[in-house]
């Protein structure tokens, strides 16, 4: 995303640690908002194939993702030296930069109301126009409910 910003491919982007630190304070870049404390803003984005055509594959992928989050990212994962040095090597950055921020709050579940709060924040900053989309059109919990064994 940073490359796209530098090249004018996008007008705005959500930059995660440590990438945002590369433009912090530079002219032409502004901080519009961050992740609310305790509320993860990630998730699995699926298209029609995994939502409709091959639901079993979609559930299997979510099951693996959930297992990874719960096993490796449930606590202060930066206390594990490998969890800092490995991504630092991949990102070609100093491990001290990764250590300088707290571990992200990792969660596989999109909380009720998250999409409404995000859309309101985007609208307040002038990054979104028009009517908000209802959560029923933006979040489908049925696959992860199946992945963790919830039954209707």
């Amino acid at each position: 995303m940073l490359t796209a910003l530098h090249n004018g491919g996008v007008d705005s982007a959500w930059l995660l640690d440590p990438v945002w630190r590369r433009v912090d304070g530079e002219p032409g870049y502004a901080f519009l908002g961050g992740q609310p404390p305790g509320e993860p803003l990630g998730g699995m984005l699926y298209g029609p194939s995994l939502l409709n055509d091959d639901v079993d594959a979609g559930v299997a992928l979510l099951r693996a993702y959930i297992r990874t989050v719960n096993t490796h990212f449930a606590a202060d994962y930066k206390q594990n030296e490998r969890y800092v040095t490995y991504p630092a090597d991949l990102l070609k950055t100093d491990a001290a930069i990764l250590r300088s921020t707290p571990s992200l709050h990792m969660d596989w579940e999109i909380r009720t109301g998250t999409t409404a709060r995000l859309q309101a924040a985007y609208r307040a900053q002038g990054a979104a126009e028009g009517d908000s989309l209802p959560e029923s059109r933006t979040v489908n919990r049925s696959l992860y409910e199946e992945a963790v064994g919830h039954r209707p």
Side-chain angles (χ1 to χ4, degrees):
M1 292 307 304
L2 183 56
T3 300
L5 278 171
H6 280 306
N7 295 333
V10 295
D11 294 327
S12 65
W14 190 276
L15 301 177
L16 299 176
D17 280 325
V19 175
W20 68 269
R21 292 172 179 267
R22 294 182 187 168
V23 295
D24 188 30
E26 281 191 27
Y29 294 89
F31 177 76
L32 296 180
Q35 179 172 334
E39 183 171 13
L41 299 179
M44 297 293 283
L45 305 175
Y46 283 12
S49 293
L50 294 177
L51 281 174
N52 304 315
D53 303 337
D54 195 351
V55 176
D56 290 341
V59 171
L61 179 59
L62 271 173
R63 193 173 288 123
Y65 174 72
I66 290 167
R67 185 173 51 248
T68 300
V69 168
N70 290 349
T71 301
H72 301 289
F73 298 100
D76 186 6
Y77 57 89
K78 289 186 181 182
Q79 294 301 311
N80 182 327
E81 187 64 16
R82 182 171 174 258
Y83 281 46
V84 175
T85 57
Y86 183 75
D89 289 343
L90 289 174
L91 295 168
K92 295 178 178 51
T93 192
D94 186 346
I97 291 174
L98 295 181
R99 282 190 203 93
S100 70
T101 58
S103 296
L104 291 172
H105 178 79
M106 303 291 279
D107 195 348
W108 44 264
E109 184 175 7
I110 302 296
R111 303 286 180 232
T112 299
T114 295
T115 59
R117 287 188 295 278
L118 283 172
Q119 290 178 82
Y122 293 150
R123 187 167 286 101
Q125 294 296 329
E129 298 175 354
D131 295 333
S132 293
L133 294 173
E135 188 170 87
S136 62
R137 292 204 37 221
T138 60
V139 178
N140 179 338
R141 293 180 175 86
S142 65
L143 296 182
Y144 79 68
E145 288 171 346
E146 182 178 339
V148 298
H150 292 181
R151 299 283 182 237

